[in-house]
Amino acid sequence: MEITENRKLQVTVAVCTRNRQEMISRCLESLFQQKTEFLYEIICVENDAQQKSRKIVEAFSLVSTERNVPFRYFCHPEQNIALARNLAIQEARGDFLIFIDDDEWADPLWLQNMMEVQKKTDGDVILGTCIPVFSEDFSPWLKDCFLYRQEKFTSECQQVYGAPTNTTLYRLDMLRQRKPPLDPDFGRTGGSDVDLAMYLMGKGRKIYKTSLAKVYELQTKNRSRVFFHWERQFRAAVNNYRIVRKNCGRIMTVKYFFWSLAKNIFAIFHEMIYFYRPRQTMVNMVGSVCGCLGLIYACLGFQKRGYY
């Protein structure tokens, strides 16, 4: 659908999807139901050569016409989330671009609140809040581990340092100044969003977070396996070390290695001292051990693939 109004298109909402046919519909439905005072568009980039979600996604063309919300579909055949997001950045037509993951759905005022915070702060990056929603078969005790503790962030607007790509709003021209915006070398391992955030902070860009702009993410049964989270912590440690090494030089990388190692060791001893819930404590302790192992693994020059 093309823009037919005289109003200037202000925001592009981008969702990249792959093998989430059962979830993409809910995500798109929530995006078309946004209550805004400005014109926005939605683009969907399928990161799958087989285009398994194409029929599901293109069925929203009728909704696009009814809601007067421009909607476009693209496909990037090479499986690499950084390349898919770079295509979204290339095709966006708004002044601002905001990403949302395909397994999430947005509060009706998500977009409006994000833009209000941006106008209030004149921020370059605005980070929303992601709230986990648990399936009925999710392990109850795992919710109490630090892995799923609800973050106690209640500020309507606060400057922060670092941001994931998900539920995050960017100035579009700012993203396009970097070539490429997201590094494809992290597209199959994870970490391209952290790498982008470090780059933007190095350029003096201001990042703010708000509790007013909410999206919800379903935590399915496969995420109730502790090995899923231990592997994620290992991978995060590997990627963060690689990102620091890429952006900060040798001396800062050495400092980061020892600081992060000490932080994980302290967390292990902290859990040992306050050993009052055995299962939760063991999960937290092993998670910190995974962080230590990931650092050492990355320091030896290895990287873990297969994330995406």
Side-chain angles (χ1 to χ4, degrees), residues 186 189-191 234-244 298 304:
F186 296 97
T189 64
F234 179 88
R235 184 186 300 279
V238 174
N239 290 334
N240 289 341
Y241 179 89
R242 292 174 58 217
I243 291 164
V244 172
K304 196 172 190 322

Side-chain angles (χ1 to χ4, degrees), residues 16 26 31-32 37 45 68 80 87 110 113 127 159 169 194 198 215 222-223 226 239 243 246-247 271 283 285-286 302:
C16 299
R26 177 165 54 183
L31 298 181
F32 280 108
E37 299 174 356
V45 179
N68 197 27
N80 184 306
L87 177 58
W110 173 61
N113 288 339
L127 174 61
Q159 188 171 358
L169 179 144
V194 179
M198 183 169 288
V215 300
N222 73 306
R223 294 192 178 189
V226 292
N239 290 334
I243 291 164
K246 171 189 172 182
N247 291 281
E271 291 291 343
V283 170
M285 287 176 61
V286 175
F302 298 106

Side-chain angles (χ1 to χ4, degrees), residues 81-195:
I81 188 62
L83 292 176
R85 287 172 174 159
N86 287 342
L87 177 58
I89 293 168
Q90 173 186 315
E91 297 295 339
R93 300 184 295 195
D95 293 327
F96 296 90
L97 173 66
I98 181 168
F99 286 105
I100 183 171
D101 283 354
D102 56 356
D103 60 345
E104 298 172 343
W105 62 99
D107 179 88
L109 292 175
W110 173 61
L111 266 182
Q112 182 66 33
N113 288 339
M114 288 287 260
M115 286 304 298
E116 288 180 358
V117 172
Q118 194 284 324
K119 291 178 181 177
K120 178 180 177 180
T121 62
D122 195 31
D124 301 298
V125 182
I126 308 297
L127 174 61
T129 300
C130 184
I131 301 173
V133 176
F134 300 97
S135 61
E136 294 181 357
D137 53 1
F138 197 92
S139 298
W141 67 270
L142 189 59
K143 299 177 188 178
D144 297 328
C145 296
F146 82 97
L147 302 167
Y148 278 108
R149 285 177 191 156
Q150 292 273 354
E151 59 176 338
K152 297 179 180 178
F153 186 86
T154 58
S155 174
E156 294 185 4
C157 179
Q158 178 179 318
Q159 188 171 358
V160 295
Y161 301 93
T165 313
N166 177 40
T167 188
T168 305
L169 179 144
Y170 301 90
R171 294 183 189 273
L172 184 57
D173 60 351
M174 174 189 71
L175 290 179
R176 288 175 173 168
Q177 289 174 11
R178 191 188 194 201
K179 306 293 183 183
L182 289 130
D183 188 346
D185 191 41
F186 296 97
R188 292 293 299 266
T189 64
S192 59
D193 49 358
V194 179
D195 175 61

